[in-house]
Amino acid sequence: MNIRQSVGATRYLGERTPRKENARLLTGRGQFVDDVRVAGALHIAFARSQVARGRIVSIDTSAALDLPGVQAVYTQADFADVPVHFLNYFFTPILAPVTLLADGRVACVGEAVAMVIAESRAIAEDGAALVEIVIEEETPLVTLADAKRGPPVHPGFDDNIAAEMGDEDSILALKDMLKGAAHVVSQRIAHQRIAQSPMENRACLAIPDGAGEMTIHLGCQSPHLAARVLAMSLGMEPAQLRVIAKDVGGGFGLKNIPWREEIATVVAARKFGRPLKWIEDRFEALTASSHAREQDITLTAGFDAEGHLLGAYAEYDSNNGAWPMGEDANIAVHMFMWPAYKLKAYGFVTRGWYTNTMGLGGYRGPWAMESLIREVLLEKAAKQIGIDVIEIRRRNLVTAADQPFTSTLGITVDDITTDACLEKLVAHLDLPKFRKEQAEARKQGRYLGIGFAAYIEPTGSAGSMQPMTGETAQVRIEPTGKVVATLSTHSQGHGTATTMAQVIADRLGVKYEDVAIYEGDSALGAFSPGAGGSRQAVIAGGACWTAAENLADKVRTVAAHVSNASVEAVSIVDGMVHIDGAPEMSRSLREIAEIAYGEPHRLPPGMASGLESQFRYQPPPMTMTSAAHACVVEVNPDTGFVKILRWCSAEDCGTVINPGIVEGQIAGGLAQAIGQVLLEDMPYDAKGNPLAATFKDYLMPAISDVPDFEYLHANTPSQTTGGMRGVGEGGAIVGPPTLVNAIADALAPFGTLGETITLPLTPTRVLGVIEGRDLGGHGETAAAVVEEAPAPVAAAPVAAARIDGSYAMTMKTPMGDQAMTGHFRTDGSALSGELESPEGSQGFTGSVEGNRLKFDLKVEKPMKITLKYDLVVEGDSISGKVKMGMFGSSKISGTRV
Amino acid sequence: MSETISRATVAMTVNGRRHSAEADARTGLGEFLREALGYTGTHLACEHGVCGACTVMVDGVAMRSCLMLAVQADGCEVTTIEGLAAPDGTLHPVQQALHEQFGLQCGFCTPGVAITLAAVTRDNPAATVEDMEKAMSGHICRCTGYQGIRRAIRQLAGEVPGPHGGEHA
């Protein structure tokens, strides 16, 4: 890293600089979607299904249309002429037959069936209540266990498997391997369903500007990404759509991509020809916005006698609901479970399942289950093996000496500091003193516990997935000498205008107050996915860093030229341009800017006028953040209430731009973690009704639930420009195991938390552990039963099968369906051909046995891997699977073309 | 339904300025402030009285504007977030403390938080941290984990705002 620093300059990097966003947000002058007023705007409300599964017999809109003030009522039939290609976050098609409004069938409670357009939101809601929907009810599938044995949620599908990866063979191999292990420890966690619950619900105001043009004010996490997804979904040119999101009241993954209601608002505005506004209410947000997290995992790990990890295997299921924002088997859980630990072998099967519940969407740290299950299992194992909970981690964590280290799933880490973070934490806490207090307290019938967790957070991903790109910074010094930057960052609370201005002010040598940031508009700047994947400080920070330094170079060159000085003698300090040894020649940045813009003949020959700089930063593919956390709790044995007494975070997020903002990100994630472990739950009843319809049922953490957090920052610069590491999701990832472990430690005198830990750990469930029996109670959902998955496609030997030809095929991958065309030629038992995909065409040779084709392909992206295809041709159909090394198998299906 | 809903003229003083507008009898105060009078700083986040985002002062008392009808505030003096700072733009001590202590992120819940803390400190200039935390327990913030809000409360109570991090290796 090349840091050029002028002596005496005001430093902004690392400072608790107050946020630029606050001026408007603290005074009621923010601009959230519902704050935008447009002449002639009408309001949308949706009539939603109150039935979880069934066929729509009739929709009677006449009473709604008769209501004064109602302008239109649309059903899916009205949108039948509008092709909408629903895409997931990775721009690949949604596999479920999702439509804007329910199309002939409903698959979950809350699914929008009709759209009412009216003069006010109140009248629109009245109208929605008057839409009469008759549905022939069918028995819904609600739980994972239901999904595994019930008829397909989506008619015509083979089963309810929405996505799957991994392979039973890998689990069998690990079971064999661990047979002789000194210790084998298992843990199952049934994770409840979460409602993301940003304080501002989803919102969309679509304004048709003219022929085929549209301005859309949208609650989103990136106007650029939203515009791109909308354009692709609707077959429009990106330039026809302008998405503006000045202020957004929290996103947390829910607002990753525009979904059914937002797209329906855009389509309806085009159709109706008036500005239309949809503002989701809290009832809709809780019951009909995409949910998150409902999942079930069983992890088993084997250890040698000293507690060294030998191998592990996991079975994972995710309840995708009916209409996920992308079918998901959550492969990231498995990819990120072990890179920080010296694990030698890992096997898994991972599946996503359709059910008749609201679809699954994103939520802070979507793969967080990896840390939860691993860290809870490790502390359980330590107690079983008889070693300290810190010691078991010391024996297994990847240290500096072990790096670069590549996990069994191919993730290489070369600069993680998890072990150092843990040691920093241990040094900060007086553990022996705590153990003494704990023993004393127990004598008095008070139950204290301490829990730890260590993890890595993959951040700043760029270059291996379509939407995850680099970032462009456009920075200019105006003729006034003030600095303006146009960025594609987006804040739903992240404070990117603050951190980016700090980077620019620091690297350029100007005052923070003199830097203005423009963001939140797809018409400004270049493509970026904005917030998502803990990436903005890492990537946009790097872009601002270089753009500002390049601009400083231009200023110095101009100043040197007009002063007859050498460039090396010029420095920029707090907006003043100085020449070493000639204080009388100091000029303000404004004077230099006036020359650069107004007197270009005074510039060095050939130099472009103005003072502008643009830089697009492409960081390394991934940047790892490391951390270890500890918390202390007291559990009341009479009430089952958990009180958090202390929480300490030791995190290494590299260069800290603004500790106030970094700590805010950690704290926000930790509060959400506390909610997940103790409070929040979106249960469904057996008929598929969501049971938490208000914030009196869905318990959000309040100030009284969250302790003071203590932060120990380590600062190992990353390999990115500026050295930043992401920190957006970590609290939500490391928080849950830290707290669960503390509760387990407090309750140790009563035994373990059980073979299955069901979240949230409500007072009732905690009392269940204390009393050693199931007390049932709030939020008890049907436990998922792990059953054998349907057998993989078997090849039936058929003589003289007609194989030669071309097939349009689809492969299910963790990032959605991948389309390809296969060309096959047979010659006896020899096979040759090509596979064509958007990435290009690749030839292969292989073998034929009856109607079964086998061939291998070597690919380089996203990592070096050999794909082993095993396909069967039956008539004009082709199906089978591809084995992707340690990632297990993916299904392939297709037809002859 | 709407054709049978009675309407009334509602007059009130908002942030020292007199206003009068028509409202349905069923219109909530928060909706009235936003839609009829244009005070969009008041945010409606749950509309069932739990989250506190829509809190405004009515005759000096912190009220959830989603649970109060506009007609109930007829003739009242209302203070919204737009009226908290001094006319010259100087932030109210509550706003200043939230600003200095990173007490907000997305800012959607902030207007209600600021109004509640302003009401508590106005009623009792010697309000303690406990008083203010108790009042704050009626607000939901999804972003901050309440750390900055708690530090702001300590600052308002004249205590040391910490603990901060800041032990940089």
Side-chain angles (χ1 to χ4, degrees):
Chain A
M1 187 175 35
N2 171 26
I3 299 185
R4 288 166 290 186
Q5 189 58 56
S6 305
V7 178
T10 306
R11 292 301 311 262
Y12 293 105
L13 286 166
E15 293 303 311
R16 291 176 191 275
T17 310
R19 300 196 328 158
K20 284 189 180 286
E21 295 84 352
N22 292 356
R24 65 178 187 274
L25 295 174
L26 274 168
T27 55
R29 289 175 177 85
Q31 192 191 77
F32 299 88
V33 175
D34 199 20
D35 301 338
V36 179
R37 305 292 136 126
V38 180
L42 299 173
H43 300 261
I44 285 176
F46 291 98
R48 296 178 181 275
S49 177
Q50 296 180 22
V51 169
R53 176 172 176 139
R55 185 178 66 84
I56 298 174
V57 177
S58 62
I59 307 170
D60 184 352
T61 62
S62 56
L65 282 166
D66 284 345
L67 187 69
V70 169
Q71 299 264 346
V73 181
Y74 290 146
T75 66
Q76 182 58 30
D78 298 297
F79 294 140
D81 58 336
V82 184
V84 180
H85 307 286
F86 278 88
L87 301 173
N88 64 17
Y89 185 70
F90 304 102
F91 306 156
T92 54
I94 302 293
L95 306 178
V98 62
T99 44
L100 295 174
L101 301 171
D103 188 12
R105 290 180 59 80
V106 293
C108 60
V109 170
E111 184 167 0
V113 178
M115 171 196 278
V116 177
I117 298 171
E119 286 161 11
S120 73
R121 181 171 157 203
I123 296 172
E125 287 177 7
D126 288 344
L130 290 172
V131 175
E132 284 185 38
I133 305 163
V134 178
I135 296 170
E136 187 179 83
E137 282 193 56
E138 297 167 12
T139 305
L141 307 179
V142 179
T143 64
L144 285 165
D146 291 345
K148 290 174 183 179
R149 55 176 175 251
V153 164
H154 299 299
F157 282 39
D158 294 341
D159 50 38
N160 286 312
I161 297 177
E164 69 177 320
M165 292 194 79
D167 173 334
E168 259 90 10
D169 291 348
S170 70
I171 291 183
L172 292 176
L174 260 298
K175 280 183 179 169
D176 268 355
M177 177 185 159
L178 298 182
K179 264 179 189 155
H183 303 278
V184 176
V185 182
S186 258
Q187 182 66 54
R188 177 177 164 215
I189 293 179
H191 198 305
Q192 83 276 34
R193 181 172 284 241
I194 291 295
Q196 291 89 324
S197 305
M199 292 313 293
E200 185 197 19
N201 296 324
R202 292 185 294 158
C204 182
L205 168 59
I207 307 162
D209 292 328
E213 285 180 43
M214 181 84 85
T215 299
I216 300 159
H217 294 265
L218 184 71
C220 63
Q221 297 178 200
S222 161
H224 294 82
L225 182 72
R228 191 166 162 191
V229 168
L230 279 169
M232 285 191 288
S233 297
L234 298 173
M236 296 173 76
E237 289 299 320
Q240 290 176 291
L241 286 164
R242 179 179 184 185
V243 174
I244 299 173
K246 171 99 173 166
D247 289 308
V248 175
F252 310 116
L254 173 67
K255 300 173 186 173
N256 265 340
I257 51 172
W259 197 232
R260 298 175 84 176
E261 289 89 342
E262 294 98 317
I263 302 175
T265 300
V266 171
V267 169
R270 283 169 77 191
K271 194 176 183 70
F272 198 70
R274 287 280 292 272
L276 296 181
K277 184 187 262 190
W278 173 62
I279 304 296
E280 183 178 53
D281 71 18
R282 186 59 62 182
F283 172 68
E284 291 178 290
L286 285 168
T287 61
S289 266
S290 300
H291 291 149
R293 290 286 200 272
E294 187 182 342
Q295 57 195 314
D296 194 301
I297 190 168
T298 303
L299 176 67
T300 303
F303 301 83
D304 69 14
E306 284 78 44
H308 297 107
L309 276 162
L310 298 173
Y313 56 91
E315 290 169 80
Y316 174 95
D317 293 298
S318 153
N319 188 335
N320 275 205
W323 311 109
M325 291 169 93
E327 282 79 0
D328 191 12
N330 217 339
I331 184 67
V333 165
H334 308 282
M335 288 174 70
F336 297 116
M337 195 182 289
W338 296 111
Y341 284 91
K342 288 174 276 191
L343 183 82
K344 296 174 187 73
Y346 182 64
F348 69 94
V349 172
T350 193
R351 294 191 178 93
W353 299 85
Y354 293 119
T355 62
N356 294 109
T357 60
M358 190 46 68
L360 176 127
Y363 189 52
R364 205 171 198 167
W367 58 89
M369 182 53 104
E370 48 83 19
S371 282
L372 177 56
I373 188 72
R374 180 193 64 237
E375 296 298 310
V376 168
L377 182 139
L378 283 175
E379 293 213 352
K380 183 180 183 180
K383 284 168 187 172
Q384 192 168 319
I385 296 166
I387 58 176
D388 185 77
V389 295
I390 303 296
E391 190 53 35
I392 196 167
R393 294 182 172 100
R394 283 183 180 139
R395 291 182 192 178
N396 289 292
L397 277 170
V398 170
T399 65
D402 298 317
Q403 298 180 62
F405 173 84
T406 300
S407 75
T408 60
L409 290 182
I411 305 286
T412 299
V413 291
D414 56 4
D415 62 355
I416 67 169
T417 59
T418 326
D419 59 325
C421 288
L422 182 66
E423 295 305 337
K424 203 175 173 70
L425 191 64
V426 171
H428 179 73
L429 302 163
D430 190 343
L431 206 48
K433 182 166 165 251
F434 172 79
R435 290 296 181 202
K436 228 180 258 174
E437 282 172 19
Q438 184 182 39
E440 283 303 311
R442 279 181 189 167
K443 286 180 199 160
Q444 301 158 21
R446 290 174 53 228
Y447 294 89
L448 303 179
I450 191 165
F452 293 85
Y455 80 114
I456 51 163
E457 178 185 358
T459 75
S461 171
S464 57
M465 292 173 278
Q466 273 293 326
M468 306 303 269
T469 64
E471 287 269 349
T472 296
Q474 298 170 333
V475 186
R476 63 182 189 272
I477 299 167
E478 298 279 23
T480 57
K482 305 289 184 186
V483 179
V484 169
T486 303
L487 305 175
S488 314
T489 44
H490 194 265
S491 172
Q492 307 99 55
H494 304 77
T496 39
T498 300
T499 48
M500 295 304 118
Q502 284 180 263
V503 171
I504 291 166
D506 196 281
R507 296 292 87 205
L508 187 50
V510 300
K511 289 185 175 152
Y512 169 74
E513 295 74 24
D514 288 343
V515 181
I517 304 288
Y518 290 95
E519 56 179 0
D521 185 339
S522 70
L524 303 177
F527 178 81
S528 116
S534 303
R535 56 183 298 289
Q536 302 201 94
V538 183
I539 310 178
C544 287
W545 191 290
T546 302
E549 288 194 340
N550 290 347
L551 188 53
D553 282 347
K554 180 163 185 181
V555 169
R556 292 162 72 221
T557 304
V558 173
H561 183 73
V562 297
S563 307
N564 267 328
S566 73
V567 173
E568 291 69 36
V570 182
S571 60
I572 313 168
V573 180
D574 294 343
M576 288 299 293
V577 185
H578 302 290
I579 311 292
D580 285 354
E584 73 285 358
M585 294 181 76
S586 292
R587 299 167 195 257
S588 68
L589 210 45
R590 177 181 183 149
E591 288 171 76
I592 300 292
E594 282 171 349
I595 293 168
Y597 284 91
E599 301 173 79
H601 57 275
R602 294 179 64 189
L603 295 174
M607 179 180 271
S609 67
L611 291 176
E612 299 175 352
S613 169
Q614 173 166 326
F615 184 76
R616 186 165 184 86
Y617 178 49
Q618 188 66 34
M622 206 181 280
T623 296
M624 294 292 183
T625 297
S626 310
H629 283 224
C631 88
V632 176
V633 300
E634 176 167 357
V635 179
N636 184 319
D638 298 321
T639 63
F641 273 90
V642 174
K643 185 166 177 56
I644 303 170
L645 303 175
R646 190 176 182 193
W647 195 302
C648 187
S649 145
E651 114 288 334
D652 185 349
C653 65
T655 304
V656 172
I657 300 171
N658 186 325
I661 283 177
V662 163
E663 290 164 12
Q665 287 294 314
I666 297 170
L670 288 179
Q672 290 174 335
I674 291 167
Q676 282 181 56
V677 172
L678 298 177
L679 299 164
E680 297 177 38
D681 195 4
M682 175 57 70
Y684 274 74
D685 71 9
K687 292 198 73 178
N689 293 301
L691 298 179
T694 73
F695 277 156
K696 284 204 171 297
D697 319 299
Y698 192 83
L699 304 178
M700 299 272 277
I703 194 168
S704 45
D705 299 308
V706 183
D708 278 331
F709 299 129
E710 302 160 55
Y711 309 97
L712 308 169
H713 297 299
N715 309 105
T716 312
S718 72
Q719 296 158 46
T720 66
T721 298
M724 286 74 82
R725 299 171 188 270
V727 74
E729 291 159 289
I733 298 171
V734 75
T738 308
L739 182 50
V740 169
N741 282 339
I743 296 168
D745 187 48
L747 296 180
F750 303 101
T752 69
L753 294 182
E755 286 307 304
T756 302
I757 295 172
T758 303
L759 296 180
L761 290 170
T762 57
T764 308
R765 290 197 175 115
V766 170
L767 282 177
V769 173
I770 291 170
E771 297 186 13
R773 63 200 173 96
D774 184 0
L775 299 173
H778 168 73
E780 209 67 52
T781 49
V785 181
V786 179
E787 291 177 1
E788 282 306 304
V793 179
V798 176
R802 189 172 69 93
I803 288 170
D804 289 34
S806 299
Y807 299 80
M809 309 195 297
T810 307
M811 174 166 71
K812 284 193 175 193
T813 81
M815 284 169 279
D817 274 12
Q818 302 290 331
M820 59 177 112
T821 306
H823 307 283
F824 301 110
R825 293 177 294 278
T826 55
D827 183 6
S829 63
L831 172 73
S832 64
E834 301 86 37
L835 270 190
E836 276 179 53
S837 71
E839 279 78 43
S841 176
Q842 210 174 340
F844 57 81
T845 56
S847 65
V848 186
E849 193 186 320
N851 62 340
R852 186 171 186 175
L853 315 179
K854 287 187 176 180
F855 58 96
D856 294 353
L857 266 187
K858 284 186 167 43
V859 295
E860 301 282 325
K861 271 183 75 178
M863 56 187 69
K864 280 186 184 174
I865 204 165
T866 299
L867 306 176
K868 292 180 174 297
Y869 288 81
D870 185 351
L871 305 171
V872 171
V873 174
E874 283 177 274
D876 288 336
S877 302
I878 190 163
S879 62
K881 61 182 183 177
V882 54
K883 194 159 170 33
M884 300 179 285
M886 282 305 297
F887 288 98
S889 302
S890 268
K891 274 189 185 173
I892 290 185
S893 59
T895 52
R896 192 187 294 272
V897 289
Chain B
M1 286 296 116
S2 46
E3 72 254 56
T4 60
I5 286 170
S6 62
R7 287 176 71 77
T9 300
V10 178
M12 62 180 71
T13 304
V14 182
N15 305 331
R17 292 191 177 138
R18 288 186 299 169
H19 289 277
S20 172
E22 287 273 303
D24 284 351
R26 67 176 179 176
T27 301
L29 174 59
E31 185 187 346
F32 181 74
L33 288 168
R34 290 179 54 81
E35 303 299 323
L37 306 187
Y39 290 98
T40 55
T42 298
H43 297 153
L44 296 165
C46 80
E47 295 178 274
H48 52 255
V50 180
C51 80
C54 67
T55 304
V56 298
M57 270 190 256
V58 180
D59 289 341
V61 179
M63 301 289 290
R64 297 186 177 217
S65 68
C66 70
L67 292 185
M68 186 174 188
L69 296 172
V71 291
Q72 290 175 289
D74 188 36
C76 292
E77 279 195 31
V78 174
T79 304
T80 68
I81 186 71
E82 289 97 333
L84 215 49
D88 69 355
T90 305
L91 292 180
H92 186 282
V94 167
Q95 291 169 310
Q96 189 61 34
L98 289 167
H99 177 59
E100 290 173 12
Q101 300 299 333
F102 292 85
L104 64 153
Q105 286 182 22
C106 81
F108 201 76
C109 73
T110 308
V113 171
I115 290 284
T116 288
L117 293 179
V120 172
T121 50
R122 169 187 150 142
D123 291 347
N124 177 12
T128 63
V129 168
E130 289 68 33
D131 295 335
M132 283 185 270
E133 285 213 10
K134 196 174 167 192
M136 183 59 211
S137 70
H139 288 265
I140 296 173
C141 167
R142 190 55 149 171
C143 293
T144 63
Y146 304 101
Q147 303 296 296
I149 296 171
R150 187 178 277 137
R151 285 196 303 269
I153 286 173
R154 289 183 182 136
Q155 179 171 327
L156 289 165
E159 295 187 6
V160 179
H164 263 317
E167 188 213 302
H168 290 258

